[in-house]
Amino acid sequence: MGDGPVIPIQPADGNEPTPDEVPLVPEQATGPDAETARWDDVEAVRHEPDPVRQAARATELINECGRRVTELAALRRTAIERAHHDYGLTYADVADFLGITRGRIAQIRNGRTDN
C-alpha cells in the first residue's frame, strides 16, 4: 500500500469522534443489558453434557452472532461511504486498503453482504 493515497487522520471539518468514542455496535441495536456472546460461551456450549440444552444454547449464540454480523455489515457499509465522501477516496482505493476486490465493494455498497 505504499503507493496508495494517504488517508487523512481527520476529515476536513475535524468534527468526527475519535475511535474510542464510537461504540463498536450501535446503541439502539444492543442495549446496555444485552447479553454478549464470548468465546467462553462457545466453550461452555461445547462442554454441555445435555444435548438438548447444548443445541438450544448453540442456537441462541448463533442468533446473537447473526445480529452482530448484520450490525457490523451496516457499520462497514457506512464506513466505506464515509471514506469515499469524507476522504475523497475512490472505491477502488477503499477496496485496496481493505484488501478486498472492487466487485466486493460494489456488493457491500448495494447491501449484498454475506459477511
Side-chain angles (χ1 to χ4, degrees):
M1 276 191 257
D3 297 325
V6 175
I7 298 177
I9 300 299
Q10 289 287 338
D13 65 9
N15 291 326
E16 293 296 315
T18 61
D20 53 346
E21 295 174 333
V22 179
L24 180 60
V25 178
E27 292 175 16
Q28 69 273 18
T30 304
D33 297 329
E35 184 177 343
T36 302
R38 298 180 312 270
W39 286 111
D40 292 346
D41 296 324
V42 174
E43 286 304 310
V45 170
R46 183 184 320 279
H47 298 311
E48 171 59 56
D50 182 312
V52 174
R53 284 198 303 249
Q54 185 181 44
R57 184 61 180 139
T59 299
E60 291 171 6
L61 291 175
I62 289 167
N63 291 338
E64 181 178 338
C65 289
R67 287 187 298 272
R68 297 287 177 145
V69 167
T70 299
E71 293 167 9
L72 289 168
L75 288 170
R76 178 178 60 181
R77 185 171 39 255
T78 300
I80 288 168
E81 293 300 329
R82 286 181 51 224
H84 174 69
H85 293 290
D86 296 356
Y87 293 165
L89 297 174
T90 66
Y91 291 114
D93 291 335
V94 175
D96 289 343
F97 279 115
L98 298 179
I100 60 179
T101 66
R102 294 170 186 173
R104 185 69 182 128
I105 287 285
Q107 290 175 335
I108 292 167
R109 291 184 58 230
N110 291 314
R112 295 189 310 266
T113 60
D114 295 328
N115 288 345

